[in-house]
Amino acid sequence: MSIEANEEFRPKIVAFCCNWCSYAGADLAGSSRLAYPADVKIIRVPCSCRVNPMFILRAFEKGADGVIMCGCHPGDCHYSTGNYYARRRMTLLFSMLDYIGVENGRTRVEWVSAAEGVKFSTTMNEFVEKIHSLGKNVRLGDLRCRN
Amino acid sequence: MQRIGVFVCHCGSNIAATVDVKKVAEMALMEPGVVHAEDYQYMCSEAGQARIQEAIKEKNLTGIVVCSCSPRMHENTFRKAVERAGLNPYMVEVANIREHCSWIHKDIEEATKKAVILMRAAVAKVNLNTPLKPGESRVTKRALVIGGGIAGIQTALDIADAGYKVDIVEKTPSIGGRMSQVDKTFPTLDCSACILTPKMVEANAHENITIYTYSEVENVSGFVGDFTVDIRKKARSVDMTKCTGCGVCQEKCPSKKTPSEFNRGLNNRSAIYTPFAQAIPNVPVIDREACIKFKTGKCGLCSKVCQAGAIDYDQKDEIITEKYGAIVVATGFDMIKLDKYDEYAYSQSKDVITSLELERIMNAAGPTKGHLERMSDGKPPKEMVFIQCVGSRCSDDRGKSYCSKICCMYTAKHAMLIRDKYPDVNVTVFYIDVRTPGKNFDEFYRRAVEDYGVNYIKGQVGKVIPQSNGKLLVRGVDLIDQKQIVKEADMVVLAAAIEPNPDVRKIATMLTASIDTNNFLTEAHAKLRPVESPTAGIFLSGVCQGPKDIPETVSQAGAAAVKAIGLLAKDKLMTNPCTAHSDELLCNGCSNCANVCPYGAISYEDKEVNDHGKREVRRIAQVNSALCQGCGACTVTCPSGAMDLQGFSNRQILAEVDAICR
Amino acid sequence: MSTEKKQAEQIKEISGVNPLKCMKCGKCSASCPSYNEMDIKPHQFVSYVQNEDIESLVNSKSLWKCLSCFACVERCPRDVKPGKLIDAARQIVVRQKGQDYLLADEIPELLDPDVPQQLLVSAFRRYRR
Amino acid sequence: MQELIARAKELLANGTVARVLGWKAGDLPYNPEPAYFEKEEDFKDFVYNGFCGANLSKYMIEATKLEGKTLVCLKPCDTYSFNQLIMEHRVDREKAYIIGVGCKGKLDIEKIKKQGIKGIQSISGAEITDDAETLTINTLYGDKTIPYADGMLERCHVCKGKEHKIYDEIIGESKDTKDADRFDEVSRIESMKPEEKFAFFQKELSKCIRCNACRNACPACSCRKCVFDSNKFDSSQKANVDSFEEKMFHIIRAFHVAGRCTDCGECSRVCPQGIPLHLFNRKFIKDIDEFYGEFQAGEDITVKGPLTSFTFEDVEPSVVAERG
């Protein structure tokens, strides 16, 4: 750690994107050459409702500094209702993380349609900037054994 | 342990220019399970696919990772390629190093690092892939077309001619749509009704076409090949089997104060009405909000004068449930509301009209019987001003960000027709750009200027001020001459932006078809799949997908029909094998999964299970894989993790997370 | 950075306007009540800023002919709002300390008797800031 | 207690039930434990008093699989858990005979001991036949008296009410012992600075020895196989201190029971390390109430849980940040 201390902070950011809207939105951002930092790595899931809170916690536990989930806009879910369930799950999870003292900027949900390449790119730029301002994630490792 | 082959695509220079593809292949060999890695110019090419197939055979590969463009682009290509080499198609994973990497990053080192990580995640996932087998589902050989304008009619005719049954659902009392309101069509100036009416008649007479007018789609369930749709046939209050279309009821109806929708409110219609003379079906409807009989219980005149005894005040809405294999959306457009454009005085003066209103005024069957006259005093105008781009190309919230595409041409048409018929009327067009791409389009616009003397001014109008003398003061600018223009006009015509029919959002939600912020339906691929929705089995026809003129609409309608026919021609469809599956040893039978399943695909059965030697009957969740669409809502709601999604399993996603965070 | 470029950036910053959004429709010039008095027309403000010709802009008559009526701001379909640009250009001049652009004594001479006193006072307060 | 025993014996004798699920006396005056009673003579150890805190609902998952009906003694708050289990098809209502037993608040021996009471020999006043107002504790150092309420479990201070939500018959009187707001502590933590919150939970969770007592006692945590023991999440290495489960165990556990947890408080009651685990569950309950409207799991078995339902107008997850 101490050797790397002087290096520029490159956050690890995991983005869960639903296949139908947000992943396509990310593709559109790509084909429109709308840059965002390479720190963001996308995992494709069929729907935002496939994102288990355990995936997000696991990412943090393995060293992610931020996790963002993108899905279709409410009402536009390919599976009709998936993002409504996802919305409740994520609201409660984020609230819990906030409750245990994890900075609430480390998690985010954004609804990005297949046509919103620009929104995808702006969102990612904003999110990376936010994570930069928060710095390295130290609170979501082991809650139990640290002192 | 899998034997994995990693194939890194250069995509010409699309990837190779920013990602060190050799390095990615080299790094791949260090990943667990990877026994082969190579890079190649174009993996999707015949030769590229052949390399994958050879490697499978030579090295006994069990899993494939292709680092290339988006899986939305070529996942299927590679799946088919490995299948031909004897591997299960679901043993392929694609690492998206183009859209998500090379195209958005400039720094080679950084992009390469990211590409390596994306490759690792795909390798980690494929290590846990299992062969999947798609199921089969049937195809109902019937198509539904939502919307009965020129787009819907053309699509329905093409499908019907191919020998398949088609139903058209149209919200208004007649098919015909916007085109039936148009007087003449550009660039040939032939009469709109003359070319549309034969198509309407043909659709009505076609043995494969059923038309539901005055009807709306109420509910859609099912999936590609097997949709079930509820259609609400609103009560017409007229028996369609008895009515002869004589029109006496409309003449005698005493309630004649409802603004005519067809004539854009420029005149009134009766409570019992057919929207226009050539309506199909030629059967009137009773507007129950306007009808005196329905409002007060008295009157009943139409019933008395109807010789056929077709009037039926007790008619109820009827729900028709029908199965379809394919659905075509052709919901069309409307003009935007101009209430936010006070500066053009649309709501203050009757002589400020929209272009569609002008169409009705110019039409021989319109409110003025085709005479060009001011709606305020009926006088013929001498000075006419057209304003382009009203609400189009706006970045504020008053209008639309897009170009409505058709206005330049119809304005040229209007100007030309007026100058032709009324040579003493001066016509001025204020424009920002004149956009005329299309066969014979620019020639058409030039004729308006050169042969008909239409005065085109480059510049916009700032304000239209109604004067006390009944004239309209138009304050504009000529940007070429660098002078402000103040002009008295008798009529001002606004080329208002067009917008998708507002109902389309509701329909898109029912169809789970994606829609953009402007309410245009999204196509599966902007260039390569322009008439298909990303939702399988849903096709797009006409302006619901984006602004277009009649020739374009008709060609798109035909294309949508072909796509629908292609689907209907199949006897069976392969279903997505990425469905949910419940582990009977872990399942608690708690029903939480069934509560969130949007497809009703989960049921329960009492089943004897053998849990490590312990036999007992348990309530176990069962997934009907024909109904399951693979969203995964159930997997997260399942507390014990018994429910998992094939192809996107918990372990696979966690492996990807781990690989990315490593 | 050249002074002109710096000033152009400053104008964009003060006004919050992105001149690249302009589609050159001219609705601003069509709406402008002072159009005929201006040497640089409202729709041209945008290109002057874009071309970083701030020198001409700050020395133009238009700078002081603009009434800040904001008709152009109100009606601009592209969110460019030339009125804000010219207002920002004025700010640039105002901020050049010690440089007299208009002395209070010169005003009565320039006065148009039709201009309401209130407008004059409010404009004076505004630009004197 | 005698009425309860007599009635249980009667139902056993006439064949209505095949066994009785209640509590039997432990080796100390304050540690009765859940037990089955199948024969008349078993009842000599039967006990029901202020220390019978255990929620017997969960035992009914296995009990209702047995031959014949099982008589179960449920306190008012336990009946919520039982209802929730019915909803989730985990218990068979037909095979349960529920006696709603009276409750005047259950006692927390750790809390009593913390008041400096040592060398306990016997305790009177915990029989709850009276109004349960005073506890007299006979110790090696003489008798000590404390108000009954001062010895009560935290959960009883925020009592859900004296009403049994489901029962076949009721024996004994109950009392609503609520004298505090159940979200007070959650609100207190919410108002802390992030560092303070983090320090608080880090301190509490650092005590965890992963004994799984919380999970074993929890009526909502009733999976045949817990995800933490399942290879489906690659999280089955219980011994490994570095593994995922160790770190996030309590958060994930709370999430898994969110919307299903009746706030019965068993997790905190059984924790040998005294970790206030209910603070996780209650946070979810508080959020659910605030975001999606008041909801009490197990109160009405016809209402869908908050995580298996939604409205179009639900708040966005950004509410967490906006709330500040």
Side-chain angles (χ1 to χ4, degrees):
Chain A
M1 272 305 278
S2 55
I3 305 167
E4 293 167 19
N6 289 332
E7 273 184 34
E8 192 200 351
F9 169 52
R10 292 311 302 255
K12 284 182 188 168
I13 292 168
V14 179
F16 290 98
C17 291
C18 83
N19 182 46
W20 304 97
C21 290
S22 307
Y23 195 89
D27 280 358
L28 183 60
S31 40
S32 318
R33 313 297 198 273
L34 299 163
Y36 53 88
D39 310 320
V40 179
K41 315 284 188 308
I42 296 170
I43 294 181
R44 183 163 73 130
V45 287
C47 175
S48 53
C49 70
R50 177 65 189 95
V51 179
N52 196 313
M54 278 180 84
F55 301 161
I56 292 172
L57 295 175
R58 169 83 149 231
F60 281 126
E61 186 256 351
K62 293 282 177 185
D65 300 297
V67 178
I68 179 164
M69 187 189 87
C70 301
C72 309
H73 285 266
D76 294 349
C77 175
H78 179 77
Y79 305 99
S80 314
T81 52
N83 50 8
Y84 290 118
Y85 294 116
R87 182 161 66 178
R88 283 202 168 186
R89 290 167 187 160
M90 293 306 135
T91 306
L92 290 179
L93 177 72
F94 294 0
S95 181
M96 174 56 80
L97 292 177
D98 178 61
Y99 180 66
I100 62 169
V102 175
E103 309 89 336
N104 55 38
R106 289 199 189 278
T107 48
R108 180 164 169 182
V109 166
E110 202 61 59
W111 312 118
V112 179
S113 83
E116 293 175 327
V118 177
K119 183 175 181 187
F120 188 87
S121 168
T122 347
T123 302
M124 292 305 150
N125 278 306
E126 271 174 32
F127 189 60
V128 173
E129 200 176 308
K130 177 78 194 175
I131 300 301
H132 266 284
S133 74
L134 291 172
K136 204 160 171 48
N137 160 37
V138 289
R139 294 202 182 139
L140 260 169
D142 194 343
L143 275 179
R144 213 173 57 86
C145 306
R146 289 221 184 120
N147 42 48
Chain B
M1 190 70 174
Q2 308 269 22
R3 293 176 57 80
I4 298 167
V6 177
F7 299 84
V8 188
C9 181
H10 299 203
C11 195
S13 62
N14 279 312
I15 293 172
T18 10
V19 170
D20 180 348
V21 284
K22 297 234 180 294
K23 173 92 188 235
V24 176
E26 195 182 298
M27 296 293 284
L29 283 170
M30 285 154 42
E31 292 300 301
V34 177
V35 295
H36 175 87
E38 62 173 294
D39 59 282
Y40 184 67
Q41 274 279 303
Y42 290 102
M43 281 322 306
C44 61
S45 68
E46 199 77 12
Q49 295 181 43
R51 291 176 92 99
I52 299 177
Q53 290 163 337
E54 272 161 40
I56 292 173
K57 284 173 192 149
E58 266 171 39
K59 305 221 170 153
N60 277 326
L61 301 181
T62 60
I64 303 294
V65 168
V66 188
C67 304
S68 60
C69 54
S70 171
R72 292 169 54 85
M73 191 74 83
H74 274 309
E75 189 172 55
N76 254 334
T77 312
F78 297 125
R79 279 183 175 165
K80 281 182 187 150
V82 306
E83 194 172 23
R84 287 196 296 273
L87 202 61
N88 181 286
Y90 293 89
M91 298 306 290
V92 176
E93 288 298 333
V94 176
N96 185 346
I97 61 166
R98 193 179 76 176
E99 282 85 345
H100 293 185
C101 188
S102 71
W103 274 353
I104 44 168
H105 306 312
K106 290 207 177 82
D107 183 90
I108 295 183
E109 194 189 337
E110 192 174 81
T112 307
K113 255 190 202 166
K114 177 166 173 182
V116 168
I117 294 172
L118 295 177
M119 173 273 293
R120 274 185 193 149
V123 169
K125 186 176 182 193
V126 100
N127 256 310
L128 297 165
N129 276 25
T130 47
L132 301 175
K133 205 174 165 300
E136 284 179 346
S137 70
R138 67 200 176 92
V139 178
T140 306
K141 309 251 172 207
R142 190 182 193 97
L144 171 68
V145 175
I146 306 174
I150 180 61
I153 293 170
Q154 186 62 48
T155 302
L157 282 172
D158 288 346
I159 297 174
D161 281 344
Y164 298 100
K165 298 278 181 200
V166 195
D167 295 353
I168 300 176
V169 172
E170 165 59 44
K171 186 172 59 172
T172 68
S174 168
I175 57 169
R178 292 279 163 253
M179 189 174 167
S180 63
Q181 292 176 291
V182 173
D183 182 44
K184 299 277 188 318
T185 55
F186 61 78
T188 50
L189 295 182
D190 39 5
C191 135
S192 184
C194 309
I195 55 177
L196 174 67
T197 321
K199 284 206 180 283
M200 290 164 63
V201 173
E202 192 187 342
N204 196 34
H206 206 295
E207 54 174 10
N208 282 340
I209 299 179
T210 310
I211 299 173
Y212 298 108
T213 49
Y214 211 45
S215 301
E216 284 179 52
V217 172
E218 182 122 317
N219 189 45
V220 180
S221 60
F223 46 89
V224 54
D226 194 18
F227 294 103
T228 305
V229 179
D230 292 342
I231 299 164
R232 174 178 293 273
K233 245 182 109 180
K234 287 177 283 186
R236 225 180 167 95
S237 314
V238 177
D239 188 334
M240 290 187 66
T241 58
K242 291 183 187 159
C243 174
T244 59
C246 68
V248 175
C249 52
Q250 302 184 51
E251 272 168 43
K252 301 286 179 199
C253 176
S255 164
K256 286 201 165 61
K257 293 225 173 93
T258 312
S260 158
E261 294 85 355
F262 187 76
N263 284 328
R264 306 296 292 182
L266 295 175
N267 65 354
N268 293 336
R269 60 159 171 83
S270 45
I272 183 164
Y273 72 107
T274 42
F276 54 105
Q278 304 93 325
I280 283 182
N282 187 18
V283 176
V285 298
I286 296 181
D287 174 353
R288 292 188 173 186
E289 312 244 298
C291 174
I292 299 167
K293 171 83 178 168
F294 279 98
K295 285 198 293 192
T296 66
K298 292 174 201 145
C299 187
L301 208 56
C302 49
S303 178
K304 280 178 210 131
V305 299
C306 181
Q307 303 232 318
I311 308 294
D312 177 3
Y313 299 119
D314 298 327
Q315 216 176 56
K316 299 247 158 24
D317 285 9
E318 196 186 330
I319 302 284
I320 296 162
T321 304
E322 188 72 69
K323 280 189 169 287
Y324 299 99
I327 298 177
V328 183
V329 188
T331 44
F333 70 97
D334 205 340
M335 313 294 267
I336 61 162
K337 288 209 169 58
L338 292 173
D339 47 358
K340 288 181 186 158
Y341 284 92
D342 275 348
E343 66 258 41
Y344 294 139
Y346 177 73
S347 46
Q348 295 154 42
S349 167
K350 279 187 162 179
D351 299 324
V352 180
I353 56 173
T354 67
S355 304
L356 193 54
E357 286 162 22
L358 182 64
E359 292 282 355
R360 295 314 306 148
I361 292 172
M362 311 256 289
N363 188 275
T368 59
K369 306 273 182 292
H371 301 295
L372 181 64
E373 56 190 51
R374 284 156 48 99
M375 294 314 288
S376 58
D377 52 14
K379 284 185 190 150
K382 284 278 167 267
E383 198 67 54
M384 286 191 76
V385 167
F386 285 77
I387 304 175
Q388 300 258 263
C389 296
V390 177
S392 295
R393 309 167 68 191
C394 280
S395 52
D396 56 23
D397 59 358
R398 300 200 297 169
K400 304 290 177 183
S401 59
Y402 49 85
C403 164
S404 295
K405 201 171 184 177
I406 55 175
C407 329
C408 287
M409 285 301 287
Y410 69 57
T411 299
K413 173 189 77 179
H414 290 152
M416 202 187 279
L417 288 169
I418 290 169
R419 294 281 300 159
D420 187 49
K421 212 169 161 189
Y422 311 95
D424 58 331
V425 176
N426 287 322
V427 176
T428 307
V429 178
F430 283 92
Y431 71 95
I432 306 173
D433 300 288
V434 178
R435 296 178 167 177
T436 55
K439 192 171 164 184
N440 294 327
F441 280 18
D442 205 61
E443 294 90 325
F444 182 82
Y445 151 61
R446 290 313 308 168
R447 266 169 61 208
V449 178
E450 294 165 27
D451 300 350
Y452 291 88
V454 178
N455 182 21
Y456 268 79
I457 296 178
K458 158 80 186 164
Q460 190 54 299
V461 169
K463 199 165 171 64
V464 175
I465 309 147
Q467 306 286 98
S468 50
N469 63 1
K471 301 218 175 221
L472 299 158
L473 195 71
V474 178
R475 184 194 281 275
V477 69
D478 185 330
L479 294 178
I480 310 283
D481 284 357
Q482 285 276 42
K483 63 177 187 214
Q484 219 170 31
I485 293 174
V486 182
K487 201 178 181 70
E488 261 192 342
D490 299 302
M491 276 175 99
V492 170
V493 184
L494 307 177
I498 60 172
E499 64 178 351
N501 196 306
D503 289 350
V504 74
R505 189 156 272 280
K506 203 173 75 198
I507 289 169
T509 304
M510 279 192 268
L511 298 172
T512 71
S514 60
I515 194 165
D516 69 19
T517 41
N518 288 318
N519 279 0
F520 287 116
L521 287 161
T522 314
E523 56 278 6
H525 189 283
K527 281 139 288 186
L528 303 176
R529 295 172 69 194
V531 300
E532 297 159 78
S533 158
T535 305
I538 310 292
F539 305 95
L540 315 175
S541 176
V543 182
C544 68
Q545 178 262 342
K548 44 182 75 68
D549 56 28
I550 296 168
E552 259 187 288
T553 295
V554 172
S555 36
Q556 202 206 16
V562 169
K563 291 289 173 188
I565 293 164
L567 167 60
L568 298 178
K570 289 182 182 144
D571 288 323
K572 281 197 167 142
L573 290 176
M574 293 303 215
T575 59
N576 170 18
C578 296
T579 53
H581 178 77
S582 147
D583 183 330
E584 57 182 34
L585 291 183
L586 297 181
C587 179
N588 295 329
C590 71
S591 285
N592 279 325
C593 53
N595 283 337
V596 298
C597 179
Y599 303 101
I602 302 173
S603 58
Y604 289 84
E605 77 175 61
D606 290 322
K607 191 175 171 192
E608 191 182 84
V609 297
N610 183 346
D611 192 350
H612 302 90
K614 187 177 164 198
R615 282 179 183 281
E616 63 178 355
V617 175
R618 289 181 184 172
R619 182 184 143 89
I620 303 287
Q622 299 283 334
V623 179
N624 179 341
S625 56
L627 294 177
C628 174
Q629 298 295 297
C631 67
C634 54
T635 62
V636 181
T637 207
C638 176
S640 66
M643 199 55 94
D644 211 347
L645 189 63
Q646 303 189 110
F648 291 96
S649 72
N650 291 325
R651 292 185 62 203
Q652 283 175 313
I653 297 174
L654 288 175
E656 285 180 89
V657 169
D658 290 359
I660 288 172
C661 299
R662 196 160 84 192
Chain C
M1 212 190 283
S2 71
T3 330
E4 294 258 296
K5 194 175 171 72
K6 215 183 273 173
Q7 282 180 328
E9 289 305 316
Q10 222 175 345
I11 288 180
K12 288 185 219 170
E13 198 198 317
I14 297 171
S15 62
V17 163
N18 175 8
L20 292 175
K21 290 191 75 181
C22 176
M23 63 170 170
K24 305 185 178 14
C25 69
K27 201 170 178 182
C28 43
S29 285
S31 301
C32 183
S34 304
Y35 182 89
N36 291 331
E37 327 244 325
M38 289 187 174
D39 45 359
I40 297 175
K41 308 299 185 190
H43 68 277
Q44 294 174 300
F45 299 167
V46 181
S47 50
Y48 274 82
V49 175
Q50 210 174 305
N51 298 332
E52 293 165 7
D53 186 2
I54 309 303
E55 183 70 26
S56 309
L57 201 57
V58 296
N59 292 320
S60 69
K61 275 203 274 176
S62 302
L63 200 66
W64 310 107
K65 291 296 176 188
C66 167
L67 299 171
S68 295
C69 73
F70 290 141
C72 53
V73 171
E74 203 54 34
R75 292 180 196 155
C76 175
R78 301 292 306 169
D79 232 4
V80 179
K81 306 177 177 174
K84 290 201 171 179
L85 284 177
I86 204 74
D87 198 29
R90 264 192 305 256
Q91 294 297 325
I92 299 256
V93 177
V94 172
R95 285 181 192 181
Q96 286 171 346
K97 277 182 197 158
Q99 294 209 355
D100 287 334
Y101 40 90
L102 190 64
L103 291 171
D105 297 340
E106 293 170 24
I107 293 171
E109 234 178 287
L110 301 165
L111 267 189
D112 178 342
D114 291 343
V115 173
Q117 288 284 317
Q118 251 175 337
L119 174 74
L120 190 72
V121 173
S122 72
F124 199 65
R125 196 179 289 140
R126 181 184 176 91
Y127 300 127
R128 220 23 235 218
R129 241 189 341 223
Chain D
M1 184 170 89
Q2 287 317 315
E3 189 191 352
L4 178 61
I5 293 173
R7 181 63 181 150
K9 282 180 179 169
E10 184 188 339
L11 289 164
L12 207 51
N14 69 18
T16 309
V17 300
R19 68 199 66 77
V20 173
L21 180 54
W23 299 264
K24 74 172 185 192
D27 51 353
L28 296 165
Y30 46 76
N31 65 349
E33 57 195 52
Y36 284 116
F37 303 85
E38 291 180 355
K39 296 187 287 290
E40 169 129 19
E41 56 267 34
D42 295 347
F43 282 91
K44 64 181 189 312
D45 293 332
F46 188 99
V47 62
Y48 180 65
N49 61 28
F51 286 103
C52 295
N55 180 348
L56 300 181
S57 299
K58 189 174 184 179
Y59 293 83
M60 291 303 283
I61 295 172
E62 288 308 315
T64 56
K65 287 182 192 161
L66 301 171
E67 198 64 36
K69 274 196 179 189
T70 303
L71 184 158
V72 62
C73 304
L74 296 181
K75 305 184 289 294
C77 59
D78 303 340
T79 57
Y80 290 85
S81 308
F82 194 83
N83 260 345
Q84 186 65 26
L85 288 167
I86 292 178
M87 245 181 112
E88 296 180 0
H89 307 272
R90 305 305 310 281
V91 294
D92 183 352
R93 174 68 183 95
E94 297 309 309
K95 292 178 83 179
Y97 190 93
I98 303 168
I99 292 190
V101 292
C103 178
K104 290 168 182 171
K106 294 296 165 212
L107 296 162
D108 181 353
I109 189 63
E110 296 305 323
K111 196 166 157 190
I112 294 170
K113 284 180 182 168
K114 269 194 194 130
Q115 296 172 37
I117 299 171
K118 288 177 194 151
I120 299 172
Q121 287 177 314
S122 69
I123 298 173
S124 65
E127 301 81 11
I128 63 166
T129 44
D130 56 1
D131 279 342
E133 276 175 356
T134 322
L135 274 180
T136 310
I137 304 139
N138 174 247
T139 75
L140 291 170
Y141 317 100
D143 282 358
K144 298 263 166 75
T145 307
I146 62 166
Y148 190 91
D150 286 0
M152 270 190 330
L153 286 163
E154 190 279 341
R155 72 179 190 211
C156 298
H157 290 287
V158 297
C159 180
K160 282 194 276 290
K162 59 180 183 177
E163 227 178 282
H164 291 84
K165 291 291 158 184
I166 185 169
Y167 57 87
D168 291 301
E169 60 180 283
I170 290 181
I171 294 177
E173 264 182 56
S174 296
K175 186 164 99 177
D176 187 340
T177 57
K178 183 173 190 296
D179 58 8
D181 187 291
R182 71 164 159 164
F183 296 128
D184 276 353
E185 182 69 1
V186 175
S187 305
R188 191 181 68 79
I189 298 169
E190 281 172 346
S191 64
M192 292 186 197
K193 291 198 196 80
E195 311 82 67
E196 295 168 345
K197 291 176 185 175
F198 185 71
F200 173 83
F201 282 108
Q202 189 173 39
K203 180 168 155 276
E204 289 298 340
L205 290 177
S206 296
K207 299 179 200 160
C208 176
I209 53 172
R210 265 314 297 283
C211 67
N212 281 339
C214 47
R215 155 178 133 178
N216 291 346
C218 174
C221 232
S222 60
C223 292
R224 289 182 215 284
K225 190 168 190 176
C226 175
V227 284
F228 289 103
D229 298 342
S230 160
N231 58 8
K232 285 217 142 193
F233 276 89
D234 271 356
S235 52
S236 56
Q237 324 89 311
K238 199 182 298 177
N240 187 347
V241 285
D242 259 350
S243 78
F244 177 45
E245 54 166 335
E246 292 289 320
K247 302 181 180 179
M248 304 294 182
F249 176 77
H250 292 289
I251 303 171
I252 291 174
R253 208 187 77 78
F255 199 90
H256 276 190
V257 301
R260 303 163 56 231
C261 167
T262 65
D263 199 9
C264 77
E266 284 288 89
C267 45
S268 295
R269 186 184 69 85
V270 301
C271 179
Q273 296 291 85
I275 305 172
L277 293 167
H278 64 276
L279 290 177
F280 286 112
N281 303 323
R282 240 176 240 175
K283 166 65 179 168
F284 277 132
I285 294 169
K286 183 169 181 280
D287 280 345
I288 287 168
D289 284 357
E290 278 171 18
F291 296 148
Y292 314 121
E294 297 271 322
F295 178 79
Q296 169 61 56
E299 185 159 39
D300 180 352
I301 61 169
T302 60
V303 177
K304 266 193 176 186
L307 277 164
T308 53
S309 54
F310 61 83
T311 67
F312 298 133
E313 297 80 25
D314 281 346
V315 289
E316 292 292 329
S318 54
V319 71
V320 175
E322 285 153 12
R323 204 173 41 181

